[in-house]
Amino acid sequence: MKILVLHGSMFGHTELLGNAIAEGAKLVEGVEVIFKSVDETEPDELRDAIGIIWGSSGIFGEPSPKMATFLSKLGQLWFTGALQGKVGGVFATASTQHGGVENVCKALQTPMQHHGMVIVSNTGPINADRAQYGNPYGATAVIPVETSKEAPMNKPNDSEIQIAKEYGKLVAETAKKLHS
Ligand SMILES: Cc1cc2nc3c(=O)[nH]c(=O)nc-3n(C[C@H](O)[C@H](O)[C@H](O)COP(=O)(O)O)c2cc1C
């Protein structure tokens, strides 16, 4: 039972969040998790996955060009109904609190709906962490831009990583329930 976690990260930030999602999905017994960039992914690789989680950085409030290019290659999969019934989830990063991270999630869900996928909300225990860092649409992180090119890369905070792990696990569990 394969779960694909695919990122359209341009500078590495979204890749870190995607890695946490993949780590969470790996906690589900019997599930094989593949984590990679969309530009290293051929559309046919999606055919035998039971769950697909894809994510992107926000570029002016929309998914990155890398992600958009990948989505534009999925026409044949739509035409053949290849993704219908698969379980889906999304993730996104941006650098500012109101910089469009929710919009990016919604924009990443729309193609999943066109493909007939079953989208999993990012739900869990209602605690202080989720109240501040949770996002019903998917796993997200707001990561400030580095102050210079030499500065070390900023990362999602511990709460964002933890919620992302829980989301990866939830999507994988849901996919396993629906497909076993
Ligand atoms: C051209 C460009 C446009 C961006 N637009 C936004 C934006 O609208 N809102 C925001 O909060 N961050 C914006 N960002 C910041 C990125 O979304 C943020 O740094 C993200 O974490 C980068 O992820 P990545 O390293 O995985 O590509 C933009 C960055 C670039 C380069």
Side-chain angles (χ1 to χ4, degrees):
M1 289 184 287
K2 189 165 98 179
I3 302 284
L4 280 176
V5 182
L6 306 175
H7 68 83
S9 179
M10 293 170 71
F11 310 106
H13 304 83
T14 316
E15 184 175 355
L16 290 174
L17 192 66
N19 185 59
I21 291 171
E23 289 303 313
K26 283 178 192 167
L27 298 173
V28 180
E29 209 182 314
V31 160
E32 177 201 5
V33 179
I34 296 172
F35 174 53
K36 60 202 292 198
S37 170
V38 288
D39 56 9
E40 294 164 357
T41 305
E42 290 302 321
D44 278 345
E45 292 176 54
L46 277 60
R47 286 185 185 275
D48 64 344
I50 61 167
I52 303 164
I53 309 170
W54 60 40
S56 171
S57 34
I59 301 297
F60 303 123
E62 295 289 342
S64 69
K66 197 193 253 194
M67 193 72 210
T69 299
F70 175 70
L71 295 174
S72 75
K73 293 178 186 167
L74 305 188
Q76 188 65 23
L77 293 183
W78 173 81
F79 190 68
T80 55
L83 306 188
Q84 284 181 14
K86 294 188 189 298
V87 169
V90 300
F91 59 103
T93 71
S95 59
T96 58
Q97 192 178 359
H98 301 292
V101 81
E102 294 180 10
N103 198 59
V104 176
C105 284
K106 299 289 279 182
L108 291 171
Q109 287 175 349
T110 301
M112 290 188 164
Q113 289 168 308
H114 282 251
H115 282 284
M117 294 173 64
V118 180
I119 297 168
V120 179
S121 310
N122 186 358
T123 187
I126 310 298
N127 53 29
D129 257 8
R130 267 185 194 272
Q132 189 165 1
Y133 298 106
N135 185 329
Y137 308 115
T140 53
V142 175
I143 309 167
V145 167
E146 292 75 18
T147 48
S148 72
K149 281 188 177 164
E150 292 72 38
M153 188 169 72
N154 291 328
K155 298 175 180 174
N157 68 33
D158 291 348
S159 301
E160 291 164 335
I161 290 287
Q162 179 58 27
I163 293 170
K165 273 188 189 164
E166 289 170 14
Y167 185 56
K169 185 164 177 271
L170 178 66
V171 177
E173 281 169 348
T174 307
K176 188 177 161 183
K177 272 185 205 158
L178 276 182
H179 288 272
S180 52

